Amino acid sequence: MRAMAPVFQDSQSGSWHVFRYEDVQRVLSEHATFSSRMGGDNPSGTGQLFAASLITTDPPRHRQLRSLVTQAFTPKAVDALAPRIAGLTNELLDGIAAGGSADLIRDLAYPLPVIVISELLGIPAEDRERFKHWSDVIVSQTRTAPAGETQDTTTSEMVEYFLALIDRRRSRPGTDLISSLLSAEIGGQRLTVPELLGFCSLLLVAGNETTTNLIGNAVLCLAESPGTLGRLLEEPGLLPQALEEVLRFRSPVQSMYRVAVAETVLSGQRVPAGAPIVAWIGSANRDGQQFPAAAEFDIDRSPNRHLAFGHGIHFCLGAPLARLEARIALEALLTRLPGLSLAPGAELERMESSIVYGLKELPV
Ligand code: HEM
Protein backbone atom coordinates (compact mmCIF):
# COMPACT_ATOMS: atom_id res chain seq x y z
CA MET A 1 0.00 0.00 0.00
CA ARG A 2 2.86 2.41 0.76
CA ALA A 3 4.03 2.19 -2.85
CA MET A 4 0.76 1.61 -4.70
CA ALA A 5 -1.92 3.49 -2.76
CA PRO A 6 -0.28 5.41 0.11
CA VAL A 7 -3.47 7.39 0.79
CA PHE A 8 -6.47 5.23 0.11
CA GLN A 9 -10.21 5.75 0.64
CA ASP A 10 -12.24 2.69 1.61
CA SER A 11 -15.42 3.17 -0.43
CA GLN A 12 -17.51 1.13 2.04
CA SER A 13 -16.69 2.94 5.27
CA GLY A 14 -15.61 6.22 3.69
CA SER A 15 -12.46 6.24 5.87
CA TRP A 16 -9.13 7.36 4.46
CA HIS A 17 -6.16 5.10 5.21
CA VAL A 18 -2.65 6.55 5.39
CA PHE A 19 0.39 4.26 5.18
CA ARG A 20 3.66 6.18 4.64
CA TYR A 21 5.87 7.26 7.54
CA GLU A 22 5.90 10.92 6.55
CA ASP A 23 2.09 11.07 6.19
CA VAL A 24 1.39 9.10 9.38
CA GLN A 25 3.70 11.39 11.33
CA ARG A 26 1.87 14.45 9.94
CA VAL A 27 -1.60 13.04 10.70
CA LEU A 28 -0.58 12.20 14.27
CA SER A 29 1.12 15.50 15.04
CA GLU A 30 -0.63 18.28 13.03
CA HIS A 31 -3.49 18.61 15.48
CA ALA A 32 -4.85 21.82 13.94
CA THR A 33 -5.59 19.92 10.73
CA PHE A 34 -6.23 16.42 12.10
CA SER A 35 -8.54 16.42 15.12
CA SER A 36 -8.57 13.69 17.77
CA ARG A 37 -12.21 14.25 18.66
CA MET A 38 -13.96 10.93 18.44
CA GLY A 39 -17.46 10.45 17.08
CA GLY A 40 -18.11 14.20 16.61
CA ASP A 41 -20.47 15.91 19.05
CA ASN A 42 -22.64 12.88 19.81
CA PRO A 43 -20.44 9.85 20.29
CA SER A 44 -22.12 6.60 21.34
CA GLY A 45 -21.12 3.44 23.27
CA THR A 46 -17.41 3.19 24.04
CA GLY A 47 -16.91 6.47 22.15
CA GLN A 48 -18.93 8.20 24.84
CA LEU A 49 -16.68 6.83 27.55
CA PHE A 50 -13.59 8.34 25.97
CA ALA A 51 -15.27 11.50 24.65
CA ALA A 52 -13.97 13.54 27.57
CA SER A 53 -10.51 11.94 27.84
CA LEU A 54 -7.24 13.46 26.72
CA ILE A 55 -6.74 11.06 23.82
CA THR A 56 -9.96 12.37 22.20
CA THR A 57 -9.60 16.10 22.89
CA ASP A 58 -7.80 18.86 21.01
CA PRO A 59 -6.04 21.93 22.42
CA PRO A 60 -6.63 23.93 24.51
CA ARG A 61 -8.60 21.36 26.62
CA HIS A 62 -6.09 18.64 25.81
CA ARG A 63 -3.20 20.65 27.25
CA GLN A 64 -5.13 21.36 30.46
CA LEU A 65 -6.16 17.73 30.99
CA ARG A 66 -2.71 16.39 30.19
CA SER A 67 -1.05 18.78 32.65
CA LEU A 68 -3.01 17.07 35.46
CA VAL A 69 -1.43 13.68 34.93
CA THR A 70 2.02 14.35 33.49
CA GLN A 71 3.54 14.45 36.97
CA ALA A 72 2.45 10.89 37.70
CA PHE A 73 4.08 9.56 34.52
CA THR A 74 7.43 11.38 34.22
CA PRO A 75 10.42 9.03 33.87
CA LYS A 76 11.46 10.02 37.42
CA ALA A 77 8.04 9.27 38.95
CA VAL A 78 7.85 6.02 37.03
CA ASP A 79 11.39 4.94 38.01
CA ALA A 80 10.23 5.01 41.63
CA LEU A 81 7.90 2.12 40.74
CA ALA A 82 10.80 -0.08 39.57
CA PRO A 83 11.25 -2.04 42.82
CA ARG A 84 7.52 -2.85 43.00
CA ILE A 85 7.44 -3.87 39.32
CA ALA A 86 10.51 -6.08 39.83
CA GLY A 87 8.90 -7.66 42.91
CA LEU A 88 5.68 -8.41 41.01
CA THR A 89 7.61 -9.80 38.04
CA ASN A 90 9.54 -12.15 40.30
CA GLU A 91 6.37 -13.33 42.04
CA LEU A 92 4.77 -14.09 38.67
CA LEU A 93 7.92 -15.87 37.46
CA ASP A 94 8.08 -17.98 40.63
CA GLY A 95 4.85 -19.62 39.47
CA ILE A 96 6.37 -20.34 36.06
CA ALA A 97 9.75 -21.63 37.21
CA ALA A 98 8.00 -24.14 39.49
CA GLY A 99 5.84 -25.50 36.65
CA GLY A 100 8.33 -25.95 33.78
CA SER A 101 6.01 -24.94 30.94
CA ALA A 102 3.94 -21.80 30.75
CA ASP A 103 1.94 -19.39 28.67
CA LEU A 104 3.97 -16.21 28.96
CA ILE A 105 1.00 -14.03 28.04
CA ARG A 106 -1.30 -15.52 30.68
CA ASP A 107 1.37 -15.91 33.36
CA LEU A 108 3.44 -12.73 32.99
CA ALA A 109 2.70 -10.25 30.19
CA TYR A 110 -1.04 -10.17 30.94
CA PRO A 111 -1.14 -9.77 34.74
CA LEU A 112 1.88 -7.47 35.20
CA PRO A 113 0.56 -4.25 33.56
CA VAL A 114 -2.94 -4.68 34.96
CA ILE A 115 -1.64 -4.97 38.52
CA VAL A 116 0.64 -1.96 38.07
CA ILE A 117 -2.06 0.32 36.62
CA SER A 118 -4.67 -0.89 39.13
CA GLU A 119 -2.32 -0.04 41.97
CA LEU A 120 -1.68 3.42 40.49
CA LEU A 121 -5.42 4.04 40.21
CA GLY A 122 -6.04 2.65 43.69
CA ILE A 123 -8.25 -0.22 42.56
CA PRO A 124 -8.66 -2.91 45.23
CA ALA A 125 -6.75 -6.14 44.49
CA GLU A 126 -9.92 -8.25 44.48
CA ASP A 127 -11.33 -6.27 41.52
CA ARG A 128 -8.32 -6.63 39.21
CA GLU A 129 -9.61 -9.57 37.19
CA ARG A 130 -12.82 -7.71 36.38
CA PHE A 131 -10.77 -4.77 35.21
CA LYS A 132 -8.63 -6.80 32.93
CA HIS A 133 -11.73 -8.33 31.46
CA TRP A 134 -13.42 -4.97 30.80
CA SER A 135 -10.29 -3.63 29.20
CA ASP A 136 -10.12 -6.73 26.96
CA VAL A 137 -13.69 -6.32 25.75
CA ILE A 138 -13.24 -2.64 25.11
CA VAL A 139 -10.21 -3.12 22.88
CA SER A 140 -12.31 -5.68 20.98
CA GLN A 141 -10.12 -8.65 21.24
CA THR A 142 -11.06 -12.17 22.06
CA ARG A 143 -8.43 -13.43 24.44
CA THR A 144 -10.78 -13.77 27.40
CA ALA A 145 -14.03 -12.10 26.46
CA PRO A 146 -16.93 -14.55 26.10
CA ALA A 147 -18.58 -14.49 22.67
CA GLY A 148 -21.64 -12.29 22.44
CA GLU A 149 -20.69 -9.88 25.20
CA THR A 150 -21.17 -6.40 23.85
CA GLN A 151 -18.95 -3.40 24.38
CA ASP A 152 -21.97 -1.43 25.60
CA THR A 153 -22.74 -3.87 28.46
CA THR A 154 -19.10 -3.80 29.49
CA THR A 155 -18.94 -0.04 29.27
CA SER A 156 -21.93 0.42 31.57
CA GLU A 157 -20.61 -2.12 34.10
CA MET A 158 -17.27 -0.35 34.16
CA VAL A 159 -18.83 3.11 34.43
CA GLU A 160 -20.97 1.96 37.36
CA TYR A 161 -17.92 0.55 39.11
CA PHE A 162 -15.86 3.71 38.58
CA LEU A 163 -18.69 5.96 39.78
CA ALA A 164 -18.88 4.00 43.04
CA LEU A 165 -15.08 4.09 43.42
CA ILE A 166 -14.97 7.85 42.72
CA ASP A 167 -17.62 8.38 45.41
CA ARG A 168 -15.61 6.34 47.92
CA ARG A 169 -12.45 8.31 47.16
CA ARG A 170 -14.30 11.61 47.40
CA SER A 171 -15.28 10.87 50.99
CA ARG A 172 -12.05 9.03 51.94
CA PRO A 173 -9.14 10.23 49.72
CA GLY A 174 -6.04 8.06 49.43
CA THR A 175 -2.63 8.50 47.77
CA ASP A 176 -3.82 7.04 44.46
CA LEU A 177 -4.28 8.78 41.10
CA ILE A 178 -8.09 8.90 41.34
CA SER A 179 -7.87 10.77 44.65
CA SER A 180 -5.40 13.28 43.22
CA LEU A 181 -7.55 13.82 40.09
CA LEU A 182 -10.53 14.46 42.38
CA SER A 183 -8.74 17.32 44.07
CA ALA A 184 -7.14 18.71 40.86
CA GLU A 185 -8.37 22.03 39.48
CA ILE A 186 -8.06 23.72 36.11
CA GLY A 187 -8.56 27.50 36.40
CA GLY A 188 -10.40 27.00 39.70
CA GLN A 189 -12.67 24.29 38.24
CA ARG A 190 -12.73 20.64 39.28
CA LEU A 191 -12.86 17.89 36.64
CA THR A 192 -16.37 16.85 35.64
CA VAL A 193 -17.53 13.29 36.32
CA PRO A 194 -17.34 12.39 32.57
CA GLU A 195 -13.76 13.71 32.54
CA LEU A 196 -12.85 11.63 35.59
CA LEU A 197 -14.42 8.58 33.99
CA GLY A 198 -12.54 9.30 30.76
CA PHE A 199 -9.23 9.37 32.63
CA CYS A 200 -9.87 6.14 34.51
CA SER A 201 -11.05 4.24 31.46
CA LEU A 202 -8.27 5.54 29.25
CA LEU A 203 -5.49 4.68 31.69
CA LEU A 204 -6.96 1.25 32.22
CA VAL A 205 -7.34 0.39 28.56
CA ALA A 206 -4.29 2.24 27.20
CA GLY A 207 -2.02 0.82 29.85
CA ASN A 208 -2.92 -2.86 29.72
CA GLU A 209 -3.26 -4.47 26.36
CA THR A 210 -0.48 -2.41 24.82
CA THR A 211 2.16 -3.30 27.41
CA THR A 212 1.09 -6.95 27.48
CA ASN A 213 1.70 -7.05 23.74
CA LEU A 214 5.05 -5.27 23.94
CA ILE A 215 6.30 -7.96 26.34
CA GLY A 216 4.79 -10.80 24.30
CA ASN A 217 6.05 -9.39 20.99
CA ALA A 218 9.54 -8.97 22.48
CA VAL A 219 9.68 -12.64 23.51
CA LEU A 220 8.53 -13.64 20.02
CA CYS A 221 11.12 -11.44 18.28
CA LEU A 222 13.90 -12.92 20.43
CA ALA A 223 12.67 -16.48 19.87
CA GLU A 224 12.88 -15.81 16.12
CA SER A 225 16.34 -14.26 16.39
CA PRO A 226 18.61 -16.54 18.44
CA GLY A 227 21.64 -14.40 17.57
CA THR A 228 20.03 -11.36 19.19
CA LEU A 229 18.94 -13.42 22.19
CA GLY A 230 22.55 -14.62 22.64
CA ARG A 231 23.86 -11.06 22.53
CA LEU A 232 21.30 -9.90 25.10
CA LEU A 233 22.19 -12.76 27.45
CA GLU A 234 25.81 -11.59 27.33
CA GLU A 235 25.03 -7.89 27.35
CA PRO A 236 21.68 -7.10 29.04
CA GLY A 237 22.53 -3.39 28.69
CA LEU A 238 21.35 -3.72 25.06
CA LEU A 239 17.78 -4.45 26.20
CA PRO A 240 16.42 -0.88 25.93
CA GLN A 241 17.50 -0.57 22.28
CA ALA A 242 16.20 -4.08 21.56
CA LEU A 243 12.80 -3.08 22.97
CA GLU A 244 12.75 0.03 20.74
CA GLU A 245 13.27 -2.27 17.76
CA VAL A 246 10.43 -4.54 18.97
CA LEU A 247 8.21 -1.45 19.17
CA ARG A 248 9.09 -0.63 15.57
CA PHE A 249 9.07 -4.14 14.15
CA ARG A 250 5.93 -5.43 15.89
CA SER A 251 4.11 -2.28 16.97
CA PRO A 252 1.57 -3.03 19.75
CA VAL A 253 -0.66 -0.19 18.50
CA GLN A 254 -1.08 -0.52 14.75
CA SER A 255 -3.41 2.36 13.95
CA MET A 256 -4.82 5.63 15.32
CA TYR A 257 -7.85 7.63 14.29
CA ARG A 258 -8.23 11.31 13.36
CA VAL A 259 -10.72 13.56 11.51
CA ALA A 260 -9.53 16.12 8.95
CA VAL A 261 -10.86 19.51 10.03
CA ALA A 262 -9.82 21.20 6.77
CA GLU A 263 -9.15 19.97 3.26
CA THR A 264 -5.57 18.79 3.01
CA VAL A 265 -3.16 16.98 0.72
CA LEU A 266 -1.29 13.83 1.74
CA SER A 267 1.16 12.20 -0.70
CA GLY A 268 -0.43 14.19 -3.54
CA GLN A 269 -3.94 12.99 -2.66
CA ARG A 270 -6.62 15.56 -1.74
CA VAL A 271 -8.42 14.59 1.48
CA PRO A 272 -11.64 16.54 2.15
CA ALA A 273 -12.60 18.35 5.35
CA GLY A 274 -14.54 16.03 7.65
CA ALA A 275 -12.77 12.90 6.37
CA PRO A 276 -12.23 10.17 8.96
CA ILE A 277 -8.58 9.11 8.76
CA VAL A 278 -6.81 5.95 9.93
CA ALA A 279 -3.07 6.52 10.40
CA TRP A 280 -1.30 3.15 10.08
CA ILE A 281 1.53 3.27 12.62
CA GLY A 282 2.46 -0.36 11.92
CA SER A 283 2.97 0.47 8.25
CA ALA A 284 4.89 3.70 8.92
CA ASN A 285 7.26 1.72 11.13
CA ARG A 286 8.05 -0.61 8.19
CA ASP A 287 8.55 2.23 5.66
CA GLY A 288 11.83 1.62 3.80
CA GLN A 289 12.16 5.38 3.09
CA GLN A 290 12.63 5.92 6.82
CA PHE A 291 14.14 2.60 7.94
CA PRO A 292 16.74 0.91 5.71
CA ALA A 293 16.08 -2.87 5.51
CA ALA A 294 12.78 -2.18 7.30
CA ALA A 295 11.67 -5.83 7.16
CA GLU A 296 14.68 -6.92 9.26
CA PHE A 297 14.68 -7.05 13.06
CA ASP A 298 17.91 -5.23 13.88
CA ILE A 299 18.56 -4.02 17.41
CA ASP A 300 21.54 -1.94 16.23
CA ARG A 301 19.28 0.28 14.13
CA SER A 302 20.23 3.90 14.76
CA PRO A 303 18.46 6.24 14.58
CA ASN A 304 15.23 4.38 15.29
CA ARG A 305 12.55 7.08 15.13
CA HIS A 306 9.59 4.72 15.26
CA LEU A 307 6.06 6.03 15.78
CA ALA A 308 4.93 3.20 18.08
CA PHE A 309 4.04 5.66 20.86
CA GLY A 310 2.60 8.24 18.45
CA HIS A 311 4.03 11.69 17.76
CA GLY A 312 3.34 15.26 18.87
CA ILE A 313 1.02 16.44 21.63
CA HIS A 314 -0.70 13.05 22.05
CA PHE A 315 2.62 11.18 22.37
CA CYS A 316 1.97 8.27 24.73
CA LEU A 317 1.79 9.43 28.31
CA GLY A 318 2.62 5.93 29.53
CA ALA A 319 5.72 5.39 27.37
CA PRO A 320 8.18 5.57 30.31
CA LEU A 321 6.04 3.11 32.29
CA ALA A 322 5.64 0.71 29.36
CA ARG A 323 9.38 0.79 28.65
CA LEU A 324 10.20 0.18 32.31
CA GLU A 325 7.75 -2.72 32.73
CA ALA A 326 8.97 -4.37 29.52
CA ARG A 327 12.65 -3.93 30.45
CA ILE A 328 12.15 -5.39 33.93
CA ALA A 329 10.07 -8.29 32.59
CA LEU A 330 12.61 -9.15 29.87
CA GLU A 331 15.60 -8.74 32.19
CA ALA A 332 13.98 -11.14 34.65
CA LEU A 333 13.19 -13.64 31.90
CA LEU A 334 16.78 -13.56 30.58
CA THR A 335 18.25 -13.93 34.05
CA ARG A 336 15.91 -16.51 35.51
CA LEU A 337 14.95 -18.52 32.43
CA PRO A 338 17.94 -18.21 30.05
CA GLY A 339 17.05 -21.46 28.25
CA LEU A 340 13.54 -20.25 27.44
CA SER A 341 12.18 -21.36 24.06
CA LEU A 342 8.79 -21.53 22.34
CA ALA A 343 6.90 -24.77 23.02
CA PRO A 344 7.62 -27.19 20.13
CA GLY A 345 4.83 -27.19 17.55
CA ALA A 346 3.07 -24.25 19.21
CA GLU A 347 0.67 -22.51 16.86
CA LEU A 348 0.90 -18.80 17.49
CA GLU A 349 -2.38 -17.03 16.92
CA ARG A 350 -2.71 -13.26 16.65
CA MET A 351 -5.48 -11.34 18.35
CA GLU A 352 -8.34 -10.32 16.14
CA SER A 353 -7.99 -6.56 16.11
CA SER A 354 -6.94 -3.93 13.60
CA ILE A 355 -5.73 -1.64 16.37
CA VAL A 356 -3.68 -3.74 18.78
CA TYR A 357 -1.08 -6.24 17.58
CA GLY A 358 -0.10 -9.19 19.72
CA LEU A 359 -0.47 -12.88 20.36
CA LYS A 360 -3.39 -14.58 22.12
CA GLU A 361 -1.05 -17.04 23.83
CA LEU A 362 2.69 -17.59 24.00
CA PRO A 363 3.40 -21.17 25.12
CA VAL A 364 7.02 -21.68 26.23
C1 HEM B 1 -1.33 7.65 23.86
C2 HEM B 1 0.82 3.59 22.34
C3 HEM B 1 1.39 2.13 26.96
C4 HEM B 1 -1.37 5.82 28.37
C5 HEM B 1 -0.76 6.69 23.06
C6 HEM B 1 -0.60 6.80 21.63
C7 HEM B 1 -0.02 5.64 21.20
C8 HEM B 1 0.22 4.82 22.36
C9 HEM B 1 0.32 5.27 19.76
C10 HEM B 1 -0.95 8.02 20.75
C11 HEM B 1 -2.42 8.18 20.53
C12 HEM B 1 -2.75 9.27 19.52
O1 HEM B 1 -1.87 9.85 18.89
O2 HEM B 1 -3.94 9.52 19.36
C13 HEM B 1 1.18 2.86 23.46
C14 HEM B 1 1.99 1.65 23.43
C15 HEM B 1 2.14 1.25 24.73
C16 HEM B 1 1.45 2.19 25.58
C17 HEM B 1 2.53 1.00 22.17
C18 HEM B 1 2.89 0.06 25.30
C19 HEM B 1 3.85 -0.56 24.69
C20 HEM B 1 0.71 3.01 27.74
C21 HEM B 1 0.62 2.95 29.18
C22 HEM B 1 -0.19 3.98 29.57
C23 HEM B 1 -0.58 4.71 28.39
C24 HEM B 1 1.33 1.92 30.07
C25 HEM B 1 -0.65 4.43 30.94
C26 HEM B 1 -0.44 3.87 32.03
C27 HEM B 1 -1.60 6.61 27.26
C28 HEM B 1 -2.38 7.84 27.31
C29 HEM B 1 -2.37 8.37 26.01
C30 HEM B 1 -1.58 7.45 25.19
C31 HEM B 1 -3.07 8.43 28.53
C32 HEM B 1 -3.05 9.64 25.53
C33 HEM B 1 -2.09 10.79 25.52
C34 HEM B 1 -2.68 12.05 24.94
O3 HEM B 1 -3.67 12.00 24.21
O4 HEM B 1 -2.14 13.13 25.26
N1 HEM B 1 -0.23 5.48 23.49
N2 HEM B 1 0.87 3.15 24.76
N3 HEM B 1 -0.02 4.09 27.30
N4 HEM B 1 -1.12 6.41 25.99
FE1 HEM B 1 -0.05 4.84 25.39
Side-chain angles (χ1 to χ4, degrees):
M1 296 302 281
R2 282 186 300 271
M4 313 274 290
V7 179
F8 163 82
Q9 187 182 21
D10 174 353
S11 55
Q12 274 195 330
S13 68
S15 295
W16 290 76
H17 295 263
V18 174
F19 297 100
R20 286 186 179 155
Y21 183 94
E22 207 180 313
D23 293 333
V24 170
Q25 190 179 39
R26 275 191 58 200
V27 171
L28 293 178
S29 55
E30 291 181 12
H31 53 85
T33 311
F34 305 102
S35 166
S36 288
R37 285 181 58 204
M38 192 165 141
D41 291 327
N42 295 305
S44 61
T46 317
Q48 211 164 21
L49 191 61
F50 295 110
S53 82
L54 71 164
I55 207 165
T56 54
T57 46
D58 296 325
R61 192 62 181 160
H62 172 265
R63 196 168 37 248
Q64 296 169 335
L65 289 176
R66 186 152 169 141
S67 70
L68 298 181
V69 276
T70 41
Q71 286 308 314
F73 290 95
T74 58
K76 196 168 162 229
V78 162
D79 275 347
L81 303 173
R84 174 70 185 138
I85 297 172
L88 283 169
T89 305
N90 277 320
E91 270 173 44
L92 292 165
L93 284 183
D94 285 343
I96 294 181
S101 66
D103 169 5
L104 272 192
I105 300 281
R106 183 197 58 205
D107 300 333
L108 176 68
Y110 171 106
L112 182 64
V114 80
I115 299 175
V116 172
I117 199 73
S118 310
E119 289 187 356
L120 276 174
L121 282 172
I123 286 155
E126 62 271 21
D127 296 332
R128 272 181 211 148
E129 274 304 308
R130 286 159 78 193
F131 269 88
K132 181 67 198 173
H133 173 75
W134 290 332
S135 139
D136 287 344
V137 178
I138 285 176
V139 293
S140 296
Q141 58 90 17
T142 56
R143 189 179 285 143
T144 55
E149 184 157 354
T150 67
Q151 289 199 339
D152 284 356
T153 323
T154 302
T155 304
S156 32
E157 273 177 26
M158 192 164 93
V159 165
E160 233 171 85
Y161 180 89
F162 271 130
L163 288 175
L165 187 64
I166 288 170
D167 262 359
R168 289 211 302 276
R169 293 287 178 268
R170 219 189 279 280
S171 47
R172 293 223 331 261
T175 52
D176 53 275
L177 205 52
I178 293 184
S179 300
S180 65
L181 287 173
L182 273 167
S183 62
E185 288 185 1
I186 300 173
Q189 300 247 303
R190 293 272 161 99
L191 289 177
T192 62
V193 169
E195 282 168 341
L196 282 167
L197 280 174
F199 259 123
C200 296
S201 325
L202 175 63
L203 291 177
L204 179 73
V205 174
N208 284 347
E209 201 57 52
T210 48
T211 312
T212 297
N213 291 330
L214 172 56
I215 298 170
N217 294 349
V219 173
L220 179 61
C221 288
L222 296 183
E224 284 175 350
S225 176
T228 308
L229 178 60
R231 277 182 70 198
L232 291 177
L233 283 168
E234 276 179 21
E235 217 181 317
L238 296 175
L239 248 179
Q241 73 193 60
L243 285 169
E244 294 309 303
E245 179 64 349
V246 174
L247 282 159
R248 183 196 72 84
F249 190 73
R250 285 204 165 97
S251 307
V253 173
Q254 287 283 302
S255 60
M256 282 319 302
Y257 181 86
R258 294 289 191 272
V259 176
V261 288
E263 181 181 298
T264 188
V265 175
L266 289 164
S267 280
Q269 173 75 51
R270 193 186 65 81
V271 177
I277 300 180
V278 182
W280 285 95
I281 290 175
S283 164
N285 283 343
R286 296 285 190 115
D287 189 337
Q289 298 293 320
Q290 175 68 22
F291 303 102
E296 279 170 32
F297 178 72
D298 172 11
I299 67 165
D300 296 317
R301 195 175 286 285
S302 177
N304 185 356
R305 297 197 186 95
H306 65 73
L307 301 176
F309 288 121
H311 194 74
I313 61 165
H314 291 279
F315 182 82
C316 179
L317 183 75
L321 180 59
R323 285 177 165 134
L324 180 70
E325 285 179 32
R327 182 175 59 74
I328 291 177
L330 267 289
E331 251 167 26
L333 279 173
L334 293 177
T335 315
R336 294 189 49 181
L337 305 169
L340 188 79
S341 61
L342 295 184
E347 284 196 18
L348 301 177
E349 208 184 326
R350 267 185 52 190
M351 289 186 308
E352 289 140 30
S353 165
S354 59
I355 301 176
V356 293
Y357 176 97
L359 297 169
K360 283 188 184 172
E361 296 171 340
L362 191 49
V364 291

